[in-house]
Amino acid sequence: MRSLPLKGAISDDQLEIIIDGGVLVENGIIKAVDTFSKLKSEVDSSDIDYLEKPTVGLPGLIDAHTHICWAGSRAKDYALRVSGKTYTEILKEGGGIYETVEKTRASSEDNLVDLIEKRAKTHLQNGITTIEVKSGYGLSLESEIKCLNAIKRANQTVSSDLIPTCLAAHVPAKEFNNAVEYLHYVENEILPQVQEKELANRVDIFVEDGAFSVENSKSFLHSVKEKGFDITVHADQFTSGGSKLAVEVGALSADHLEASSEKDIEFLSQSSVVANVLPGASLGLGIPFAPARQVLDKGGILAISTDWNPGSAPMGDLLTQAALLSAYQKLSAAETFSAITFRAAKALKLSDRGILNPGFLGDIVGFPTNDFREILYQQGQMKPYIIWKNGTKQ
Ligand code: NIG
Ligand code: FE
């Protein structure tokens, strides 16, 4: 995938397939990608992981949007939604995210570390070697720091890379009179601590009815940017407005986009902001997928992530979700793989992964097939059988 463009549509014949290929990795970094016969003379045979069965190798997968730092379940919400209640109604009645906040606040940091580790390990088995993880179920200085600490600790024990994001601006905490008051608290009390303790250099906000308005989010994001944070936005999930704001403030990505208008997609696609669509949230909420095809046709940068969280996206299976989205939105395999590798890396501002090329991390996943098309065709049922993280077999 090393010669594929960062933006726009891609056809499968643009994939550069190396038959009988090999990857030479030294100290965790790729040194060469070529045919096995050319590379094998450069290393001791005892250092070769020789694959007996037909294998398609891809860069380690990247999930650029998750909320896997949570405690408790929201099975009750799910049942309410399938019987007709909407996500926003549940939220406005003080349930939904607030229910998870209660459970997460009551959970110890150690317990959260265990939960994150467990979820990250499941992800690694499915080929995901880099995972963005948001806080956002704390909504107080103490609990947000606890969540970000838990993410930091889990990152030290799991072999995948966890990229932390502070989503203290998920919804206004109930202890405050209004959203503006709470955003001031996030800005003046929480973020300075996050920065001082070096817990995250990314900040997210949920721009939505029942969460934060475009106007309030705008001034918050401008000052967050001034503090030196990178920005990402929960945008256009139920109502339009967030993606336009994401472009205006220079966010790294605008995530969701289920409710984006054609004009929104056009504006976003002309920018360098990654359009990060979250099919798992559509599947969890029973709503249409984001217009991923349109993003590509208008020249945008498409990433696909799971949004793994207890409320809207409980499944958390990236490959299954990407495969389903590709069937519904008519995405080529090249577009789909790009969206969960190097284009997702762009959403996280990571320039060292997502492609198998010299200088990049030795993050590689192998699927048991000799035809790359099998992977999406099997809609997530074909799992990678071999995974290397930084060149080390997992
Ligand atoms: O991306 N929409 C806001 N945040 C999450 C859901 C969080 C939750 O419901 O617990 C999302 O869908
Ligand atoms: Fe989310």
Side-chain angles (χ1 to χ4, degrees):
M1 292 159 66
R2 56 188 165 187
S3 46
L4 299 181
L6 178 63
K7 299 189 91 180
I10 315 171
S11 66
D12 285 352
D13 52 23
Q14 288 175 265
L15 289 167
E16 181 196 345
I17 294 161
I18 305 172
I19 308 285
D20 292 329
V23 185
L24 184 63
V25 181
E26 201 174 77
N27 298 323
I29 306 291
I30 296 174
K31 263 190 80 185
V33 182
D34 213 319
T35 56
F36 178 72
S37 56
K38 274 200 197 139
L39 297 177
K40 73 175 176 211
S41 57
E42 296 194 32
V43 271
D44 266 15
S45 58
S46 60
D47 288 336
I48 297 176
D49 290 331
Y50 184 75
L51 306 180
E52 299 285 347
K53 46 178 166 179
T55 303
V56 170
L58 291 178
L61 308 183
I62 298 173
D63 188 351
H65 183 137
T66 83
H67 305 247
I68 59 171
C69 178
W70 89 81
S73 161
R74 297 252 293 282
K76 192 187 72 199
D77 278 22
Y78 194 88
L80 282 173
R81 285 202 307 270
V82 294
S83 59
K85 228 178 175 137
T86 69
Y87 181 87
T88 318
E89 279 165 4
I90 298 170
L91 180 65
K92 284 184 175 167
E93 285 166 14
I97 293 173
Y98 291 108
E99 191 187 330
T100 304
V101 169
E102 228 171 83
K103 300 267 166 50
T104 306
R105 281 181 177 177
S107 173
S108 68
E109 189 177 300
D110 286 353
N111 182 44
L112 289 173
V113 174
D114 286 348
L115 290 165
I116 299 165
E117 282 175 359
K118 195 175 132 266
R119 293 166 187 146
K121 282 177 186 161
T122 303
H123 245 24
L124 183 64
Q125 281 168 1
N126 290 332
I128 297 137
T129 47
T130 300
I131 314 171
E132 186 260 13
V133 187
K134 300 174 197 299
S135 66
Y137 295 117
L139 310 187
S140 69
L141 175 62
E142 187 197 39
S143 301
E144 282 293 311
I145 297 293
K146 176 179 72 179
C147 291
L148 290 167
N149 257 327
I151 297 166
K152 188 174 187 169
R153 284 175 53 197
N155 188 36
Q156 285 155 4
T157 57
V158 298
S159 40
S160 48
D161 292 323
L162 308 185
I163 311 296
T165 303
C166 180
L167 176 60
H170 200 177
V171 286
K174 284 180 177 173
E175 293 77 15
F176 291 78
N177 291 317
N178 55 54
V180 174
E181 246 180 49
Y182 178 64
L183 285 179
H184 281 148
Y185 169 76
V186 174
E187 191 183 319
N188 300 318
E189 307 292 331
I190 301 183
L191 293 182
Q193 288 292 313
V194 171
Q195 225 158 13
E196 200 185 302
K197 296 181 194 298
E198 296 183 5
L199 291 171
N201 56 26
R202 299 165 41 86
V203 167
D204 194 351
I205 185 166
F206 184 17
V207 181
E208 192 53 68
D209 205 19
F212 300 99
S213 68
V214 171
E215 198 183 300
N216 292 340
S217 304
K218 188 183 272 183
S219 48
F220 172 76
L221 289 176
H222 278 299
S223 57
V224 163
K225 211 171 177 195
E226 251 164 52
K227 287 185 198 294
F229 286 101
D230 286 329
I231 290 167
T232 175
V233 180
H234 274 72
D236 306 350
Q237 185 178 13
F238 303 109
T239 54
S240 158
S243 67
K244 184 160 177 275
L245 176 63
V247 175
E248 283 165 357
V249 299
L252 291 176
S253 69
D255 301 33
H256 273 295
L257 313 177
E258 295 89 338
S260 300
S261 67
E262 213 176 315
K263 231 170 119 193
D264 288 329
I265 296 297
E266 185 133 15
F267 190 58
L268 178 60
S269 300
Q270 279 163 7
S271 77
S272 56
V273 179
V274 176
N276 192 12
V277 301
L278 312 171
S282 298
L283 293 166
L285 297 173
I287 62 170
F289 291 119
R293 181 71 260 154
Q294 238 185 73
V295 169
L296 292 165
D297 289 344
K298 291 189 187 296
I301 311 169
L302 181 76
I304 303 171
S305 299
T306 62
D307 197 19
W308 198 1
N309 74 72
S312 62
M315 183 209 287
D317 186 331
L318 181 61
L319 202 54
T320 301
Q321 295 169 3
L324 293 176
L325 183 74
S326 107
Y328 277 82
Q329 283 288 310
K330 312 294 177 221
L331 310 178
S332 69
E335 288 166 339
T336 308
F337 292 147
S338 300
I340 53 178
T341 57
F342 70 95
R343 288 174 168 181
K346 167 83 176 165
L348 300 177
K349 215 170 138 183
L350 296 172
S351 49
D352 61 352
R353 65 195 76 192
I355 315 181
L356 300 181
N357 219 14
F360 283 70
L361 296 183
D363 296 355
I364 311 162
V365 293
F367 291 87
T369 174
N370 60 5
D371 181 350
F372 71 89
R373 292 171 303 191
E374 286 284 340
I375 301 171
L376 296 175
Y377 165 65
Q378 297 201 21
Q379 300 193 314
Q381 289 305 295
M382 178 184 280
K383 308 285 183 202
Y385 78 99
I386 187 161
I387 294 151
W388 293 266
K389 175 69 187 111
N390 300 328
T392 303
K393 194 153 82 176
Q394 300 300 307

